[in-house]
DNA sequence: CTCGTCACGGTTGAC
DNA sequence: AGGTCAACCGTGACG
């Protein structure tokens, strides 16, 4: 089953039910939007349902991230042994303490932060169930028992970044912990809070970024693996027919193209997409379908899945790359966003700039999905 | 014609 | 090892 085949939507686009769109497409959606292309046109061009386009753009505007949310897993437990222990301590210290006071103290003492502090009702439950009558210390937990030592290294943390909460505070504290994934290098980077960037305009801030990009461009290659393998890319996408530019961003885009691992290959007949999809060399085992050419850079492949490396490291690349020109395929579109696009392009000779900027922007993202 | 929203069927991963 | 559950996904349809 590795090869889950993708399905084709009404627009002729390929997707995998239940799975996020490849990052390349997500990125492209945002880029196009930045260029001023209307969502409906983006939908048609990329062959992604407008609901999806709307969702991705909305999320981007809200969080600054193009990445999908963390899939699967359980929510982090808030009432860790450590928290329970503290609650118990507070209660013992002051039997008359109110749950809300305990809550405040947990925050004040740094036991929890505002994102993982238990609700008042949870605290009440803890007092009732786990601690029993505080008065009687023996309750459920042995205080001294250090059993609970702090095993819970801020459970939240990991999640935080995963979920990409705009969690400013977290980061810091978290710092220590994030390393959750063993395999994964901790790319500090992803910790970045999406929020921090200037939202929309960051994108527009092209110039600055551009520069940045260039530099990074080079880098891109280096890290290549950055994206969690999971996130995929459709090579094809990259090339979408954007009238825009054909220019070769060549190399870069490759990176962009990371292959998505799980994406299934489109059925042969499939439109444009399939074209690019040449099944590349990937070991199919994980990879699938969409993956194309990217292979090259995917090299390490497989398990790499798990290593989230830094998120979009390559983004740089991608952003730019995107427009690689492939002639035909897309041409198929109905009528390519006529004016909008044209106009846009025209207007900016440089063309892709915006995109670039975006890429840069994206940079900050964290890669939630990668979850371990 | 656009676009926000949501039910639906699906996948994932922690527990 | 396998099941449960809750999170997320994109599509498609409605308004």
């Amino acid at each position: 089953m590795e090869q889950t085949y993708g399905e084709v939507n009404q627009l002729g686009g390929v997707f995998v039910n239940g799975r996020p769109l490849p990052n390349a497409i997500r990125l492209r959606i945002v880029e196009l939007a930045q260029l001023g292309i209307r969502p409906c046109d983006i939908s048609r061009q990329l062959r992604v349902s407008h609901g999806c386009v709307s969702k991705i753009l909305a999320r981007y505007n809200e969080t600054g991230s193009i990445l999908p949310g963390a899939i699967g897993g359980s929510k982090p437990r808030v009432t860790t042994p450590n928290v329970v222990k503290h609650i118990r301590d507070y209660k013992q210290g002051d039997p008359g303490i109110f749950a809300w006071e305990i809550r405040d103290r947990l925050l004040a003492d740094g036991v929890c932060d505002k994102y993982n502090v238990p609700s008042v009702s949870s605290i009440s439950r803890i007092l009732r169930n786990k601690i029993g009558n505080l008065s009687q210390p023996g309750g459920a937990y042995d205080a001294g028992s250090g059993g609970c030592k702090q095993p819970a290294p801020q459970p939240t943390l990991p999640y935080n970044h995963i979920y990409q909460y705009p969690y400013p505070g977290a980061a810091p504290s978290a710092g220590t912990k994030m390393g959750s994934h063993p395999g994964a290098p901790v790319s500090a980077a992803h910790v970045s809070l999406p929020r921090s960037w200037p939202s929309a305009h960051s994108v527009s801030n092209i110039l600055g970024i551009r520069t940045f990009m260039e530099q990074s461009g080079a880098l891109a290659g280096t890290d290549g693996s950055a994206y969690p393998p999971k996130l995929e890319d459709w090579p094809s996408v990259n090339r979408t027919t954007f009238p825009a530019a054909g220019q070769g961003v060549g190399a870069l885009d490759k990176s962009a193209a990371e292959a998505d691992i799980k994406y299934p290959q489109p059925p042969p007949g499939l439109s444009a997409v399939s074209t690019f999809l040449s099944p590349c060399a990937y070991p199919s085992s994980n990879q699938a379908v969409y993956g194309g050419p990217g292979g090259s850079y995917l090299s390490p492949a497989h398990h790499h899945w798990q290593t989230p490396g830094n998120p979009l490291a390559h983004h740089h690349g991608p952003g730019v790359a995107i427009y690689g020109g492939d002639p035909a395929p897309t041409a198929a579109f109905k009528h390519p966003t006529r004016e909008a696009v044209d106009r846009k392009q025209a207007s900016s000779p440089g063309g892709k700039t915006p995109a670039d900027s975006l890429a840069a922007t994206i940079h900050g993202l964290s890669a939630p999905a990668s979850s371990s």
Side-chain angles (χ1 to χ4, degrees):
Chain A
M1 329 254 327
E2 289 298 23
Q3 286 246 294
T4 358
Y5 274 16
E7 298 169 52
V8 179
N9 62 25
Q10 295 177 328
L11 298 173
V14 179
F15 70 98
V16 178
N17 197 359
R19 303 295 304 146
L21 284 173
N23 285 330
I25 291 181
R26 311 176 78 89
L27 176 58
R28 213 155 162 70
I29 289 170
V30 174
E31 289 175 339
L32 295 181
Q34 295 293 339
L35 290 173
I37 296 174
R38 297 177 308 174
C40 58
D41 291 325
I42 293 171
S43 172
R44 284 191 285 262
Q45 284 206 27
L46 300 182
R47 299 183 183 185
V48 170
S49 66
H50 94 264
C52 182
V53 170
S54 176
K55 184 178 175 179
I56 289 172
L57 291 177
R59 175 177 305 198
Y60 176 73
N61 288 330
E62 202 174 308
T63 68
S65 173
I66 62 164
L67 299 178
I71 299 174
S74 305
K75 270 177 109 171
R77 278 187 41 191
V78 171
T79 57
T80 61
N82 182 43
V83 171
V84 173
K85 175 176 175 291
H86 277 82
I87 291 173
R88 181 175 355 64
D89 290 344
Y90 297 149
K91 190 66 174 179
Q92 289 181 330
D94 176 6
I97 192 170
F98 290 113
W100 62 268
E101 290 176 307
I102 289 174
R103 188 167 186 272
D104 289 346
R105 286 198 60 181
L106 288 170
L107 289 169
D109 294 349
V111 176
C112 302
D113 58 43
K114 71 181 200 177
Y115 292 95
N116 69 355
V117 65
S119 62
V120 172
S121 59
S122 291
I123 292 171
S124 295
R125 194 184 330 114
I126 290 167
L127 292 173
R128 194 171 56 241
N129 302 333
K130 295 196 172 182
I131 297 178
N133 255 333
L134 306 183
S135 342
Q136 358 285 354
Y141 266 63
D142 191 311
S145 73
C148 354
K149 40 195 54 253
Q150 300 242 345
Q154 327 252 343
T156 55
L157 296 182
Y159 253 92
N160 293 331
H161 75 278
I162 290 180
Y163 283 126
Q164 294 191 279
Y165 286 158
Y167 201 153
S173 54
T176 55
K177 244 340 210 194
M178 305 252 227
S180 39
H181 310 315
V186 181
S187 46
H190 56 301
V191 179
S192 60
L193 345 177
R195 239 9 215 164
S196 58
W197 354 330
S199 37
H201 20 316
S202 63
V203 178
S204 7
N205 197 350
I206 305 167
L207 297 183
I209 293 176
R210 237 210 153 164
T211 313
F212 166 71
M213 297 272 313
E214 307 201 337
Q215 311 173 350
S216 53
L219 305 178
T222 21
D223 337 3
S225 59
Y227 242 147
K230 260 184 155 197
L231 306 186
E232 46 287 20
D233 281 31
W234 275 347
S236 44
V237 175
N238 295 337
R239 5 167 306 296
T240 316
T241 49
F242 239 71
Q247 336 246 76
V249 183
L252 297 181
D253 64 282
K254 280 266 216 96
S255 54
E258 311 182 63
D260 195 2
I261 308 192
K262 285 229 165 175
Y263 265 89
Q265 229 158 1
L270 227 14
S271 54
V273 178
S274 56
T275 330
F276 320 105
L277 298 181
S278 49
C280 74
Y282 287 16
S284 53
S285 44
N286 292 321
Q287 332 250 63
V289 187
Y290 297 137
S296 48
Y297 98 159
L298 287 181
S299 51
H302 352 10
H303 31 359
H304 150 167
W305 257 112
Q306 304 257 225
T307 69
N310 41 2
L312 298 182
H314 33 316
H315 333 16
H316 331 335
V320 182
I322 298 185
Y323 307 112
D326 220 299
T330 4
F333 290 142
K334 297 172 142 260
H335 39 82
T337 50
R338 30 191 170 185
E339 324 193 346
V341 176
D342 296 353
R343 238 197 296 132
K344 295 232 147 133
Q345 300 186 340
S347 60
S348 59
K352 334 85 228 247
T353 32
D356 295 355
S357 60
L358 205 190
T361 319
I362 291 176
H363 207 16
L365 322 165
S366 43
S370 62
S371 65
S372 75

